[in-house]
């Protein structure tokens, strides 16, 4: 039923229309609308335990109780930041690395923060399900069914630390199939009340904000965002935060309801009107033990190992069907947003877009501007502009939003990976001997690489992992090396780096100041190219197998007489 707000929040307009205009799209917030949450008291303890597991591969020991205190303090501070950010007209979203390093783990020593922050997206995905249990709110299944049956397009517009976790929760509850687009703040880089969140969703669904209903649960974020975006109808469904905005809010909704169940009748009434409206143009210092961060007692410098992924840890067999398989995902997305394309169109778009991407990389590598020479392609640009260039604009908008998911899908489909002989043994040997192992890899999906390493059974043994899609710079750019090095207490001169390409790995590692650079035969570059690099001083060793690295490291661990 409709209701008035308490005195702690603005009241709804008593002159709101008796019948709301028929919507072309229904945009829903995630928490407070689609789901309600029940806090989990043990979240900090559970997340601390997971972080302790991750820290072992870094050679770090952390005190569980004090780590829990840091997590709780960080979450409290983050909540304060979010409240302050909602006062801004167009706030940006914090990056996952900022949330983890600057808030949740702010009390850790610098190397631990830097190393763990490289896994920020995975950490936040875990945190999202550890903090609360999620329950579908009353009326949501019926609301979604009515909307779909009447060709009202559906989208999610939500502030989130982990859109990845939200997508998985929707899948688990059987609701993801209803939504043509899901816009999450961590994926698009802005957060409500920024009107761009709603603008992007409406564009991807082929409509305009004025032809959409937006349903949220907060005044400072949702109502303000809806009004700034020019949404046709703004609805509030009450949840625990509704009546307690962090500051006075002047914007008011068109309708205030107790639950989404109450919205079903309003939607039926609006749909019964028969008119669709004008069609849019479709466009406390953290407790470290006495050992601190040092994996060994005082003595000789202890080496650390950084590895490339492709060609060093993994050898892959290309999948000739990869572009078609990704094309099928684009066809499915296009169908859900009401802009259908054929599989032939979609596959051609992937074929041509990937060639444009390759050409763009060659062009950037040749630039004189060192600041942008090795910039990694943004997923929104890759899928919306390069792949989607000749597709309908509405679909291009959806591709921009779904870019990270499509990059992951392409990474999974592009080849059949298998561990290079000796690579897993090398990583396990290092774990047994206290040598921290990190990753420096060019990839379109660091998440995809992490999945592969987990399948090999060594994901938990990997320390600082710097992936170009997450850092924003590709090898041979030094920034991606520096990100991994920042997660080590080892001096760069005592680090051993192993790659398989002369330019990316040999010269890139050299320019990053890494002490020992090794190139492996059997990867991308032919033997004669590797031998020339060795002669030119771009590498210290050319090796036949990852197992050869064990001998190199063992000699450095041997006590000196």
């Amino acid at each position: 039923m409709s209701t008035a707000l308490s005195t702690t929040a603005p009241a709804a307009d008593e002159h709101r229309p008796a019948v709301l205009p028929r919507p072309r799209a229904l945009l829903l917030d995630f928490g407070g609308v689609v789901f309600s949450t029940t806090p989990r008291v043990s979240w900090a303890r559970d997340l601390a335990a997971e972080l302790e597991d991750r820290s072992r591969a870094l050679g770090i020991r952390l005190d569980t109780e004090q780590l829990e205190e840091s997590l709780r303090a960080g979450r409290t501070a983050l909540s304060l930041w979010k409240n302050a950010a909602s006062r801004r007209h167009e706030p940006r979203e914090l990056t996952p690395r900022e949330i983890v390093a600057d808030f949740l783990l702010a009390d850790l020593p610098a190397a631990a923060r830097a190393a763990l922050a490289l896994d920020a997206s995975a950490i936040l995905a875990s945190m999202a399900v550890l903090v609360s249990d999620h329950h579908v709110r009353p009326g949501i299944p019926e609301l979604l069914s009515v909307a779909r049956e009447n060709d009202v397009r559906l989208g999610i517009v939500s502030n989130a630390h982990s859109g990845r976790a939200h997508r998985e929760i929707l899948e688990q509850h059987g609701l993801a199939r209803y939504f043509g687009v899901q816009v999450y703040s961590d994926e698009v880089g802005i957060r409500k009340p920024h009107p761009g969140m709603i603008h992007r969703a409406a564009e991807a669904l082929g409509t305009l904000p004025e032809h959409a209903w937006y349903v949220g649960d907060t005044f400072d974020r949702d109502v303000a965002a809806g009004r700034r975006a020019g949404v046709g109808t703004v609805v509030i469904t009450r949840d625990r935060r509704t009546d307690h905005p962090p500051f006075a809010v002047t914007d008011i909704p068109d309708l205030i309801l107790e639950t989404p169940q109450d919205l079903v009748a309003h939607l039926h009434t609006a749909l019964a009107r028969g008119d669709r409206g004008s069609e849019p143009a479709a466009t406390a210092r953290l407790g470290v033990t006495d050992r601190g961060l040092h994996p060994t007692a005082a003595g000789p410098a202890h080496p650390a190992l950084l590895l490339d992924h492709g060609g060093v840890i993994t050898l892959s067999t290309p999948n000739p069907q990869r572009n078609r398989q990704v094309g099928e995902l684009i066809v499915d997305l296009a169908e859900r947003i009401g802009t259908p394309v054929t599989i032939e169109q979609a596959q051609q778009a992937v074929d041509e877009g990937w060639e444009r991407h390759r050409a763009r990389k060659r062009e950037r590598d040749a630039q004189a501007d060192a600041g942008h020479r090795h910039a990694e392609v943004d997923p929104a640009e890759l899928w919306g502009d390069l792949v989607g260039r000749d597709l309908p604009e509405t679909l291009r908008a959806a591709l921009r939003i779904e870019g990270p998911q499509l990059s992951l899908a392409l990474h999974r489909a592009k080849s059949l990976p298998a561990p290079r002989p000796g690579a897993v043994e090398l990583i396990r040997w290092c774990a047994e001997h206290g040598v921290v192992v990190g990753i420096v890899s060019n990839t379109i999906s660091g998440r995809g690489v992490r999945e592969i390493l987990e399948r090999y059974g060594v994901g938990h043994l990997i320390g600082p992992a710097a992936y170009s899609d997450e850092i924003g710079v590709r090898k041979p750019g030094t920034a991606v090396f520096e990100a991994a090095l920042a997660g080590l207490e080892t001096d760069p001169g005592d680090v051993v780096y192993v790659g398989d390409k002369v330019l990316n790995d040999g010269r890139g590692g050299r320019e990053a100041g890494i002490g020992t650079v090794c190139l492996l035969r059997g990867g991308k570059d032919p033997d004669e190219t590797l031998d020339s690099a060795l002669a030119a001083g771009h590498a210290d060793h050319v090796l036949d197998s990852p197992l050869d690295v064990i001998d190199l490291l063992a000699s450095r661990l041997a006590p000196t007489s």
Side-chain angles (χ1 to χ4, degrees):
M1 58 178 285
S2 304
T3 184
L5 280 173
S6 70
T7 56
T8 55
D13 183 357
E14 62 182 12
H15 301 296
R16 61 179 178 263
V19 177
L20 300 176
R22 177 174 178 142
R24 179 135 176 89
L26 188 60
L27 306 178
L28 307 179
D29 192 10
F30 183 90
V33 177
V34 179
F35 290 96
S36 60
T37 58
T38 303
R40 297 181 74 248
V41 177
S42 64
W43 76 270
R45 181 177 67 250
D46 296 340
L47 185 56
E50 178 178 320
L51 292 174
E52 282 189 284
D53 287 341
R54 291 177 180 272
S55 70
R56 291 192 184 98
L58 307 171
I60 299 171
R61 289 191 179 184
L62 303 173
D63 179 86
T64 303
E65 182 177 349
Q66 292 181 343
L67 178 54
E68 287 182 39
E69 291 177 1
S70 178
L71 291 171
R72 291 192 184 95
R75 188 170 177 231
T76 298
L78 188 58
S79 178
L80 296 173
W81 177 88
K82 290 188 290 187
N83 286 340
S86 67
R87 181 66 174 168
R88 304 185 70 182
H89 279 255
E90 296 185 348
R92 78 168 181 91
E93 182 58 276
L94 295 171
T95 66
R97 293 174 70 189
E98 286 176 317
I99 294 172
V100 169
D102 296 342
F103 286 85
L104 299 176
L105 304 183
D107 298 324
L108 268 70
R113 289 201 314 275
L116 289 169
L118 290 171
D119 283 335
S121 293
I123 290 170
L124 293 177
S126 293
M127 179 176 170
V129 295
L130 291 175
V131 164
S132 304
D133 293 317
H134 290 76
H135 315 281
V136 177
R137 293 203 71 189
I140 283 295
E142 183 181 357
L143 182 68
L144 300 183
S145 295
V146 170
R148 187 165 70 171
E149 290 165 4
N150 289 273
D151 195 29
V152 176
R153 294 168 189 172
L154 288 159
I156 294 283
V157 179
S158 176
N159 288 344
H161 297 327
S162 180
R164 163 181 167 182
H166 282 27
R167 292 172 186 275
E168 291 175 355
I169 291 168
L170 283 169
E171 286 283 358
Q172 291 165 4
H173 286 84
L175 302 179
R177 59 193 174 91
Y178 288 98
F179 294 99
V181 66
Q182 299 177 48
V183 181
Y184 296 110
S185 61
D186 69 314
E187 297 176 354
V188 298
I190 56 177
R191 61 181 286 114
K192 295 178 296 185
H194 196 308
M197 295 275 288
I198 291 174
H199 289 161
R200 294 185 188 201
E203 180 185 16
L205 293 174
T207 190
L208 297 172
E210 54 260 41
H211 297 289
W213 291 5
Y214 177 60
V215 187
D217 68 311
T218 61
F219 281 79
D220 57 309
R221 296 160 205 183
D222 296 317
V223 177
R227 291 298 179 225
R228 292 172 192 175
V231 168
T233 299
V234 178
V235 180
I236 281 287
T237 57
R238 283 183 180 276
D239 199 45
R240 55 188 173 81
R241 294 177 299 174
T242 304
D243 291 347
H244 305 286
F247 46 80
V249 180
T250 58
D251 292 305
I252 59 175
D254 297 292
L255 196 62
I256 302 170
L257 305 171
E258 288 300 318
T259 73
Q261 180 70 60
D262 300 323
L263 187 57
V264 176
H266 289 277
L267 181 57
H268 273 302
T269 301
L271 293 172
R273 295 181 63 195
D275 67 292
R276 301 181 60 87
S278 58
E279 288 294 322
T283 68
R285 180 176 176 273
L286 188 71
V288 179
T289 65
D290 291 339
R291 287 185 63 194
L293 290 173
H294 303 285
T296 60
H302 201 75
L305 177 65
L306 294 178
L307 301 174
D308 187 14
H309 174 244
V312 175
I313 299 176
T314 288
L315 297 177
S316 300
T317 303
N319 172 18
Q321 295 299 313
R322 69 168 198 176
N323 289 358
R324 185 174 184 86
Q325 291 171 6
V326 176
E328 290 170 350
L329 297 179
I330 294 176
V331 169
D332 180 64
L333 173 63
E335 181 67 28
R336 283 186 280 122
I337 66 171
T339 309
V341 295
T342 67
I343 183 58
E344 290 74 21
Q345 289 175 300
Q347 182 173 347
Q348 181 178 356
V350 178
D351 291 341
E352 296 177 353
W354 192 251
E355 287 306 313
R356 293 185 192 108
H357 170 52
R358 291 163 62 92
R360 178 73 63 87
K361 286 196 295 184
R362 292 191 293 269
E363 177 185 328
R364 286 184 174 177
D365 286 346
Q367 286 181 1
D369 179 6
H372 299 88
R373 186 163 61 230
H374 304 303
E376 184 60 277
V377 67
D378 180 77
E381 178 187 13
L382 172 59
W383 294 97
D385 300 338
L386 301 182
V387 172
R389 190 180 74 175
D390 299 323
L391 295 175
E393 182 55 41
T394 298
L395 180 54
R396 292 184 65 188
L399 290 172
R400 292 186 189 101
I401 294 169
E402 297 297 315
Q405 315 308 315
L406 291 166
S407 289
L408 174 61
L410 179 58
H411 189 276
R412 289 169 171 167
K414 70 178 182 178
S415 59
L416 178 64
R420 177 166 178 162
V424 170
E425 292 83 353
L426 167 62
I427 293 170
R428 288 177 175 158
W429 182 92
C430 287
E432 292 168 0
H433 291 80
V435 176
V436 174
V437 179
I439 305 289
V440 181
S441 175
N442 286 349
T443 179
I444 60 169
S445 180
R447 180 180 170 188
V449 177
R450 289 184 173 92
E451 289 180 352
I452 291 171
L453 295 174
E454 288 293 338
R455 289 204 298 272
Y456 294 170
V458 296
H460 65 292
L461 302 179
I462 301 300
Y467 299 106
S468 62
D469 70 310
E470 298 171 355
I471 305 302
V473 173
R474 295 183 298 106
K475 297 181 296 185
T478 57
V480 67
F481 289 97
E482 290 168 351
L485 291 169
L488 301 171
E489 278 218 322
T490 306
D491 186 275
D494 294 319
V495 173
V496 176
Y497 173 64
V498 184
D500 68 319
K501 299 188 187 78
V502 171
L503 175 60
N504 288 353
D505 301 314
R507 294 176 62 179
R510 274 280 186 263
E511 291 176 3
I514 293 176
T516 303
V517 176
C518 305
L519 297 175
L520 278 185
R521 301 187 192 278
K524 291 292 179 64
D525 284 353
D527 287 355
E528 55 269 24
T529 302
L530 302 181
D531 292 335
S532 296
L534 183 63
H538 298 315
D540 298 289
H541 303 278
V542 173
L543 306 174
D544 295 320
S545 165
L547 293 175
D548 296 336
V549 181
I550 294 177
D551 294 335
L552 181 62
L553 294 170
S555 67
R556 300 191 178 200
L557 293 174
T560 56
S561 57

